[in-house]
Amino acid sequence: MSVSDLLPVFPWDKLEPYKKTAAAHPGGIVDLSVGTPVDPVPELVQKALVAASDSPGYPTVWGTPELRDALVGWCERRLGARGLTHRNVLPVVGSKEFVAWVPTQLGLGPGDRVAYPRLAYPTYEVGARLARAGYEVYDDPTELDPAGLRLLWLNSPSNPTGQVLSKEELTRVVAWAREHGVLVLSDECYLELGWEAEPVSVLHPDVCGGSHEGLVAVHSLSKRSNLAGYRSAFVAGDAGVLGELLQIRKHGGMMIPAPVQAATVAALGDETHVHVQRERYAARRAALRAALLGHGFRIEHSEASLYLWASREESCWDTVAHLAGLGVLVAPGDFYGVAGERHVRIGLTATDERVEAAVRRLNA
């Protein structure tokens, strides 16, 4: 069996016919199906990248001391985390890479289990499959059988639903996981994008009790700073877990390029560009949300993140086809689990001009 045989069918290929339909619209396609940033990389980040471009030597997997300082400082300021040192942070080559490979790097295999939300980013399952571990979905993680459960994925704000777990819910789950010796991996990549709720990290003292034991939070600069093309992300939490990952990743050469490390320091040290980007997304969200509701959609959750989780009470593929006829491409909900078969995920990551075009078509 080849490694690729372990993986599910790549779902996005199924969207191609609908993409062709949408592209044939006289006004052109409005692609709201993916969460890739379209706005400019902040100028101060570009300048930092250029200033560090003369980097002939190998970068380090752990990152420069300046980068580690920036990671610790940001976690303290933005997450409210306390007691972090360099041993509690680790840069990674984009968050998707980490999600896909962390079960393998932590030595999971047959007989071990990975759990993730019933509606979830598909790469959680991919990571378990690559490690040849078992995997299962949950509604309430504390109802899982802890025997053999090695990794528990949380995702707040959620991709695709935008749902935010409360501080009380996170505290309850963390306590349960610690009681049963289950490592919690908390995907918090959309934490900066709360709209009708204020997302909280598992590293907040009110959640973790001031201890990072058994907790790893995953963060990305792709959305907050428009750095998806830079592949800059990091994890923070349990020093023992991150120390093990650091040793493995050293052997694997999994390092962020030195210019990107410098750009990351600049990005994490500035909040102005984050505010500007939030305002862009907030305006697009308000316009799309109103148009979708007026078009007969019902919107669930969506209190945070870069997506609207919407339904017309029909098969998600019927909804995809309907919107493709208007030249608007969205993601079918069943890409994220069978529980999404009557929903679609609608991204906010299109230019103002394209969002305005989608709004006009929905309001026509």
Side-chain angles (χ1 to χ4, degrees):
M1 177 187 292
S2 67
V3 174
S4 63
D5 290 334
L6 297 170
L7 304 179
V9 175
F10 191 64
W12 293 92
D13 293 341
K14 294 170 62 179
L15 207 54
E16 282 302 312
Y18 302 92
K19 187 173 185 178
K20 290 180 180 177
T21 298
H25 190 279
I29 188 173
V30 179
D31 191 346
L32 306 178
S33 67
V34 292
T36 187
V38 297
D39 299 302
V41 172
E43 186 176 356
L44 85 161
V45 177
Q46 295 188 47
K47 287 182 175 179
L49 184 82
V50 171
S53 61
D54 185 14
S55 298
Y58 289 110
T60 64
V61 172
W62 202 13
T64 62
E66 293 78 14
L67 176 57
R68 283 176 262 144
D69 281 343
L71 298 179
V72 169
W74 184 87
C75 288
E76 291 176 341
R77 293 191 310 273
R78 186 63 186 84
L79 307 183
R82 295 291 177 265
L84 296 180
T85 70
H86 285 193
R87 295 178 63 245
N88 298 107
V89 293
L90 179 65
V92 296
V93 192
S95 57
K96 184 171 185 174
E97 169 265 303
F98 179 83
V99 173
W101 290 107
V102 67
T104 298
Q105 291 175 358
L106 289 178
L108 272 67
D112 297 320
R113 291 163 41 240
V114 176
Y116 49 87
R118 187 169 301 280
L119 282 166
Y121 184 48
T123 312
Y124 305 140
E125 177 186 333
V126 167
R129 285 177 176 245
L130 285 170
R132 292 176 168 82
Y135 52 90
E136 61 187 289
V137 300
Y138 64 78
D139 295 308
D140 179 348
T142 66
E143 295 176 356
L144 293 165
D145 179 359
L149 182 62
R150 293 281 305 281
L151 300 182
L152 173 65
W153 278 106
L154 303 180
N155 181 207
S156 176
S158 164
N159 175 13
T161 70
Q163 185 175 14
V164 173
L165 297 177
S166 68
K167 187 181 292 185
E168 293 73 22
E169 177 70 2
L170 289 170
T171 302
R172 182 177 70 89
V173 173
V174 166
W176 178 88
R178 284 175 167 168
E179 178 186 353
H180 296 287
V182 178
L183 177 62
V184 173
L185 298 170
S186 181
D187 181 346
E188 303 173 356
C189 288
Y190 294 93
L191 184 134
E192 297 268 41
L193 297 166
W195 310 116
E196 294 150 3
E198 185 60 42
V200 180
S201 172
V202 294
L203 300 184
H204 192 286
D206 290 351
V207 173
C208 67
S211 167
H212 314 119
E213 181 184 356
L215 305 175
V216 174
V218 183
H219 287 273
S220 168
L221 281 81
S222 294
K223 308 302 194 281
R224 74 181 296 277
S225 300
N226 298 331
L227 296 189
Y230 283 45
R231 308 315 300 135
S232 177
F234 64 93
V235 293
D238 190 314
V241 174
L242 299 193
E244 174 68 9
L245 289 171
L246 175 60
Q247 296 306 314
I248 294 164
R249 294 170 69 86
K250 282 180 178 178
H251 284 288
M254 303 179 83
M255 58 191 78
I256 298 177
V260 175
Q261 293 190 28
T264 300
V265 172
L268 290 176
D270 177 72
E271 294 299 323
T272 300
H273 77 276
V274 179
H275 177 74
V276 169
Q277 190 59 44
R278 273 183 55 89
E279 292 302 307
R280 289 182 182 130
Y281 285 137
R284 293 166 187 165
R285 179 180 184 273
L288 281 170
R289 189 176 191 278
L292 288 163
L293 291 172
H295 198 76
F297 278 87
R298 176 171 55 84
I299 295 174
E300 290 184 5
H301 303 302
S302 306
E303 60 258 31
S305 84
L306 284 180
Y307 312 104
L308 293 170
W309 185 242
S311 175
R312 294 209 315 165
E313 309 300 340
E314 64 185 5
S315 162
C316 60
W317 289 101
D318 289 342
T319 305
V320 168
H322 169 74
L323 291 174
L326 301 178
V328 178
L329 188 68
V330 300
D334 66 4
F335 278 10
Y336 308 94
V338 294
E341 62 189 4
R342 297 177 71 81
H343 292 75
V344 292
R345 194 195 74 169
I346 301 167
L348 309 179
T349 49
T351 64
D352 292 341
E353 182 275 329
R354 287 289 81 190
V355 169
E356 289 167 6
V359 168
R360 286 196 303 271
R361 296 172 196 181
L362 290 165
N363 288 337

